[in-house]
Amino acid sequence: MMEEEVDMAVNHPPNEAHIDDEMMKMEVNLDDISSEIIGYVMDVLLKAGANDVYYTPIYMKKNRPAVLLQLLCSASKLETMKTILFRETTTLGIRYYPLTVHRMARSFRRVSTKWGDVTVKEGIMDGGVVKSSPEYEECKQIAERHQIPLQQVYEEVRTQLNRSE
Amino acid sequence: MMEEEVDMAVNHPPNEAHIDDEMMKMEVNLDDISSEIIGYVMDVLLKAGANDVYYTPIYMKKNRPAVLLQLLCSASKLETMKTILFRETTTLGIRYYPLTVHRMARSFRRVSTKWGDVTVKEGIMDGGVVKSSPEYEECKQIAERHQIPLQQVYEEVRTQLNRSE
Amino acid sequence: MMEEEVDMAVNHPPNEAHIDDEMMKMEVNLDDISSEIIGYVMDVLLKAGANDVYYTPIYMKKNRPAVLLQLLCSASKLETMKTILFRETTTLGIRYYPLTVHRMARSFRRVSTKWGDVTVKEGIMDGGVVKSSPEYEECKQIAERHQIPLQQVYEEVRTQLNRSE
Amino acid sequence: MMEEEVDMAVNHPPNEAHIDDEMMKMEVNLDDISSEIIGYVMDVLLKAGANDVYYTPIYMKKNRPAVLLQLLCSASKLETMKTILFRETTTLGIRYYPLTVHRMARSFRRVSTKWGDVTVKEGIMDGGVVKSSPEYEECKQIAERHQIPLQQVYEEVRTQLNRSE
Amino acid sequence: MMEEEVDMAVNHPPNEAHIDDEMMKMEVNLDDISSEIIGYVMDVLLKAGANDVYYTPIYMKKNRPAVLLQLLCSASKLETMKTILFRETTTLGIRYYPLTVHRMARSFRRVSTKWGDVTVKEGIMDGGVVKSSPEYEECKQIAERHQIPLQQVYEEVRTQLNRSE
Amino acid sequence: MMEEEVDMAVNHPPNEAHIDDEMMKMEVNLDDISSEIIGYVMDVLLKAGANDVYYTPIYMKKNRPAVLLQLLCSASKLETMKTILFRETTTLGIRYYPLTVHRMARSFRRVSTKWGDVTVKEGIMDGGVVKSSPEYEECKQIAERHQIPLQQVYEEVRTQLNRSE
């Protein structure tokens, strides 16, 4: 799931469905860098505005179990991402190509639980809510504060969500 | 191996080699859905006409071991695939880009074995057969019916194939 | 690298090399839980005293791309880990078996850099230092505070380390 | 999740929690066999009574991306599994070691939905239900028969489950 | 496939099937070392007598895509392997546990092809040959010398093998 | 790291940074071929001029743990690569699409160590050296000739490099 919307305000008017053809996929193969640094770079890229960053295990020549770093960003962020990748990783070459992203319409609502309110992100198709996803960070905080399993928090949010429909 | 031809009739005139530049690659990152549902979606997509669907293990932020769903389809199937992905998965965004596929010429023949006939798909280059692949489902049925190892069925088909050349 | 020593005091007398045969490996296959929760469980287990927790992508029946959770802990922690795994994941069965861990002797030292001191963990064999590893969290803080690449911090620590030998 | 109980009758008295130390883990590295056959072997092993079978991508010498087949079975099934592995795969050596499995107490109940009843498997700890898992095959059949997303079926089962508590 | 027999002479009397319970599995998690060095270590371990060495992609804490190194060796080689792992990798801890290996009886034969003879390793069960595997290095040399696809060499060896039976 | 420059002469004038938009990514899914052959194909492709070749573990239909072969090459090499892929693998279809590569300026220098000189490749940004990478094959030869850990060779090269700056 792309999470470009994590910092969007709740009660925001629904985001319209739209097709974004100004996106770039960037790729770097990493075989001469420690995993500690690879783990660090992910956060740097996300903070600088990447829509998504993910790692895939790959196998390169000379029996090297390596890592493919991929990221998605708007074309306007291309140079920013390049600078980070060249500074923070060992790569000497960065690949990229444009792609299109179709984003579903989405809205946010607040659901009340016995432990407080939780934001739920909803996906909308043909005017109806077809999926709803409780906000991870809020559920996590509740789980930690109340010493209950995270699954139980999600379960409770979904129960209240169904009751309110 | 792409298997868009699985339901093509045997004795079909050879498929010509051709370059298809009307293909799309679609991609979705899945990190908030159970594997049970991911396994199910593959079949739904294949039945709806995807040429190929495959999963890659990826690593996303917050220590999430997630799944990259990729599929290949003709550009004309794009909307059909989007609808399934939005309905059956948790994703709110689908990425895609065009690509070209070069397909080798292929033909099908029947090979006789002691357990019955088996279809073999052949790849043709410069007028000659350069590879041949016994049809999996038929070999599997023979293995199950006769309680013999699947490898032995493949082996026998290949032996008969060599004898007939 | 096992990191059971992360909270050990610097200037601690060297940890002796030893063979620990009171360790357990625990394993759980996860195919009906979202990656969000899997990512969360890792931290819970580490905080509760697991020596190491790691995930491996596996492929289960019915085309399910799933996750194998493995953890290492001392035998005395077995029940604690079971309780967390049963509470926080969907599993109904936990596998485990004993194993032996041979730990190299190690010591900690402080290295001065232009940005402040950094702890370095050293591995000792036959009385000599055979490897040294700058402490990740300290290097990361320097990189963030001074807006420099993390690699440059590691490099500087290693340079100072060589100079002081 | 281990699924040795898939064919257990509904309304079965709750399975007691227990520790089973008569289990075996078996392992085979596969680097000279096609994926078609690897996919087939999984079903053969499960039908013959393996508790679980799963594949892990591994990297072997000479740049070979290979597969580690692992299976869990009771010690009494060891010879049966060996025979299948030697017959159906290319391996000349099979590794195995004993392990312990702690199984949570579990019970089964039936939940009514607008599309018919669905079995739900429950995990019980300290006398209380701590997790519940709708039976996949039944949900899948409903999804296919009624042409609705599989997620919606799970959602409905969980809603009815919460209502009945 | 375990390849402890790679340097066994052709025309060797068949190796008897046997159960070896003097084997060890060793494991190391690697998250602070470059892939270049990981690829190198595999050869060092194999040359020193490991029966098998393989890498699995794993996910460790702090978003680190890391590598699990596993090796199989006879218990008598344990100290040799430890020394290499401590010298050549960054690990400060090595895990290990005993396991049993059941090895199929095997024999070697020579098969004549138009490009020269090739060794074929055979697996024997209940007195009969149940699998046969052309020796990779010999087939590779033929493919390179004669500029033909490697698959064609294997195919030819299998054809001649079937003819000679 | 892309290694198209492995055979470039040392003391070569620095390679200018440049953006190459004449590159192609090629992809093949492999599910009916042994890992032995997949490992072999990598070398054939690299020798024929591929800039990079790497394998990703994927999961295909019918529970097949398969391999995605990806390669990067200049558009002018497209037909050469196709011929190899059709000859050496079982695929009947090859996918490809253009992408852009931004290559950092790079230069090579020689560093003296107690075991002889080693080539170091440097990446240059805004006129300054931002990364340096000792040549793997040379370090490996030193490690083998002098029976020292490969890590120690890298460490020594880096120490000398820092001293000379």
Side-chain angles (χ1 to χ4, degrees), chain A residues 5 30-31 34 42 47 55 68 77 85 87 90 92 97 104 108-109 119 123 125 129 137 142 144-145 150 160 164:
Chain A
E5 64 288 311
L30 296 169
D31 73 355
S34 97
M42 184 185 271
K47 277 180 200 154
Y55 299 140
L68 169 62
K77 286 277 186 188
L85 290 170
R87 276 169 52 107
T90 46
L92 293 176
Y97 49 94
M104 199 180 224
F108 295 86
R109 58 186 291 191
T119 307
M125 201 160 55
V129 173
E137 288 297 339
I142 289 172
E144 289 174 343
R145 199 179 321 124
L150 180 56
Q160 295 307 325
S164 68

Side-chain angles (χ1 to χ4, degrees), chain D residues 27 29 31-32 56-62 64 82 86-87 89-97, chain E residues 1-3 25 42 52 54-57 72 99-104 106 121 123 131 136-137:
Chain D
E27 296 184 354
N29 286 13
D31 73 353
D32 59 350
T56 306
I58 58 172
Y59 199 23
M60 296 181 69
K61 66 168 186 269
K62 302 182 187 179
R64 293 176 189 163
K82 276 185 191 174
F86 277 137
R87 277 170 50 107
T89 79
T90 47
T91 197
L92 294 176
I94 300 171
R95 314 187 292 266
Y96 48 92
Y97 49 94
Chain E
M1 191 190 67
M2 274 174 296
E3 305 202 7
K25 165 94 77 82
M42 183 184 271
D52 222 343
Y54 54 97
Y55 298 140
T56 306
L72 293 163
L99 46 69
T100 305
V101 177
H102 184 141
R103 294 198 184 85
M104 199 181 225
R106 61 196 77 185
K121 184 168 56 184
K131 64 191 68 171
Y136 169 76
E137 288 296 342

Side-chain angles (χ1 to χ4, degrees), chain C residues 134-150:
Chain C
E135 171 63 17
Y136 170 77
E137 289 295 340
E138 297 177 25
C139 293
K140 181 185 164 187
Q141 278 171 30
I142 289 172
E144 289 175 342
R145 199 179 320 124
H146 297 272
Q147 297 285 329
I148 45 178
L150 180 55

Side-chain angles (χ1 to χ4, degrees), chain C residues 27 29 31-32 56-62 64 82 86-87 89-97, chain D residues 1-3 25 42 54-57 72 99-104 106 121 123 125 131 136-137:
Chain C
E27 296 184 353
N29 286 13
D31 73 353
D32 58 351
T56 306
I58 58 172
Y59 199 23
M60 296 182 67
K61 67 168 185 268
K62 301 181 188 180
R64 292 176 189 162
K82 277 185 189 175
F86 278 138
R87 275 169 52 107
T89 78
T90 47
T91 198
L92 293 176
I94 300 172
R95 313 188 292 265
Y96 49 93
Y97 49 93
Chain D
M1 192 191 63
M2 273 172 298
E3 302 203 9
K25 165 94 77 80
M42 184 184 271
Y54 55 97
Y55 298 140
T56 306
L72 293 162
L99 46 69
T100 305
V101 178
H102 184 143
R103 293 198 184 85
M104 199 181 225
R106 59 195 79 182
K121 183 168 55 183
M125 199 159 58
K131 65 191 69 170
Y136 170 76
E137 289 295 341

Side-chain angles (χ1 to χ4, degrees), chain E residues 142-159:
Chain E
I142 288 172
E144 288 175 343
R145 199 179 322 124
H146 296 272
Q147 297 285 328
I148 45 178
L150 179 56
Q151 293 193 91
Q152 195 179 328
V153 181
Y154 274 92
E155 198 76 17
E156 171 70 11
V157 175
R158 290 211 184 87
T159 300

